[in-house]
Amino acid sequence: MSTGMRTWVVVGANRGIGLELTRHLERRGDRVVAACRQRSPELSALRVEIVEIVEGVDVTSDDGVGKLSDHLGGGAIDALVVVSGVLRPVSLEGLDFGVIREQLEINALGPLRVVSRLIPNLSAGQGAKVALITSRMGSIADNGSGDHYGYRMSKAALNMAGKSLSIDLKGRGVAVCVLHPGFVRTRMTGGHGNVEPEVAAGQLLARVEELTLETTGTFWHADGSVLPW
Ligand SMILES: NC(=O)c1ccc[n+]([C@@H]2O[C@H](COP(=O)([O-])OP(=O)(O)OC[C@H]3O[C@@H](n4cnc5c(N)ncnc54)[C@H](OP(=O)(O)O)[C@@H]3O)[C@@H](O)[C@H]2O)c1
């Protein structure tokens, strides 16, 4: 059932966790603006009167994110979830700075580009919420196994962006959190994991709904526990 939120924007809605978030929202009848680089058959199969697909939204490009902003016009959005991200293994023995840079562009700079571009739409809503899908691999305190240079660095940078955004947007009534989805069976994990994407999506939506200006700037696991920075 809808909990009263009217317009959601999901970035990275064509597959994986983003697709499941969009499906959940469609089922309960909230309007979803589903942004992606390219639509998938699964996304296209959702009810068009509820799910508006915006293609060409590459988070690394101003023009790409501009397509989303153009679609929204001046319209208010109630919740923005940036799910897009990539995981490319980079270890110390084979440091590839190009691959590290790519992850910084997509995972850290991309979400910041999206949020900054949509500030007018977030400000137009009543108590809008932003959730940036990060990873506990971006937690410095939780790093017990090293490795994964580009991914860990990019998610740590995303966490810092999320924290600063929570402070800078509080005066506009916009609450921001960073959320770890769990170890979820998607293409990113090669189908490994201990959580199905639909379960993770339900938990993530519950976290967004609970988010308030009092709890803004928190790093949560999808299961509701607070993660250390
Ligand atoms: N699965 C896990 O266990 C896990 C754990 C921790 C954190 N996460 C995080 O959860 C999020 C979703 O992951 P997932 O497991 O659903 O992965 P996924 O199935 O691989 O999906 C990744 C999504 O990101 C999109 N994307 C990639 N590069 C993009 C770009 N430049 N511009 C716009 N969209 C782009 C992909 O679109 P295309 O189809 O166009 O490539 C796809 O929609 C990611 O941020 C990931 O880091 C996942």
Side-chain angles (χ1 to χ4, degrees):
M1 287 303 291
S2 175
T3 51
M5 280 195 189
R6 297 175 309 278
T7 299
W8 290 70
V9 174
V10 177
V11 178
N14 57 308
R15 61 184 168 96
I17 296 166
L19 174 65
E20 291 305 330
L21 283 168
T22 306
R23 278 200 179 120
H24 263 258
L25 293 164
E26 186 236 19
R27 236 177 274 135
R28 66 188 209 184
D30 283 1
R31 175 188 178 217
V32 192
V33 176
C36 53
R37 292 195 291 191
Q38 202 172 14
R39 68 175 61 219
S40 59
E42 295 84 356
L43 182 59
S44 302
L46 301 180
R47 285 179 288 166
V48 290
E49 64 276 22
I50 295 191
V51 178
E52 297 161 28
I53 301 173
V54 186
E55 289 184 281
V57 183
D58 186 322
V59 298
T60 65
S61 135
D62 290 338
D63 286 351
V65 175
K67 292 194 172 80
L68 175 57
S69 154
D70 290 348
H71 178 91
L72 291 166
I77 60 184
D78 299 296
L80 164 65
V81 188
V82 186
V83 194
S84 49
V86 290
L87 164 62
R88 311 255 191 259
V90 179
S91 53
L92 194 54
E93 293 71 38
L95 277 185
D96 183 330
F97 289 101
V99 178
I100 292 176
R101 194 172 291 117
E102 180 196 11
Q103 292 175 90
L104 290 168
E105 282 287 348
I106 298 171
N107 297 348
L109 277 56
L112 180 60
R113 177 178 286 108
V114 172
V115 177
S116 64
R117 190 71 179 253
L118 301 189
I119 287 173
N121 308 89
L122 291 163
S123 307
Q126 287 289 317
K129 305 178 188 206
V130 175
L132 307 176
I133 306 305
T134 183
S135 168
R136 68 186 305 165
M137 288 180 74
S139 166
I140 292 173
D142 189 59
N143 184 354
S145 55
D147 200 38
H148 286 287
Y149 284 84
Y151 191 69
R152 283 194 187 280
M153 292 165 68
S154 66
K155 292 296 193 178
L158 172 62
N159 288 355
M160 184 59 90
K163 186 74 189 189
S164 280
L165 285 166
S166 74
I167 295 165
D168 293 336
L169 298 182
K170 195 169 187 176
R172 295 172 188 262
V174 179
V176 182
C177 66
V178 294
L179 299 176
H180 168 68
F183 185 29
V184 189
R185 297 179 197 277
T186 62
R187 201 187 300 175
M188 177 174 282
T189 60
H192 297 288
N194 51 26
V195 187
E196 295 301 329
E198 53 270 29
V199 173
Q203 291 182 324
L204 292 168
L205 288 182
R207 301 290 80 75
V208 178
E209 266 143 21
E210 284 167 14
L211 175 65
T212 66
L213 286 176
E214 282 67 50
T215 58
T216 190
T218 306
F219 180 11
W220 275 289
H221 191 296
D223 69 11
S225 55
V226 173
L227 289 168
W229 297 104

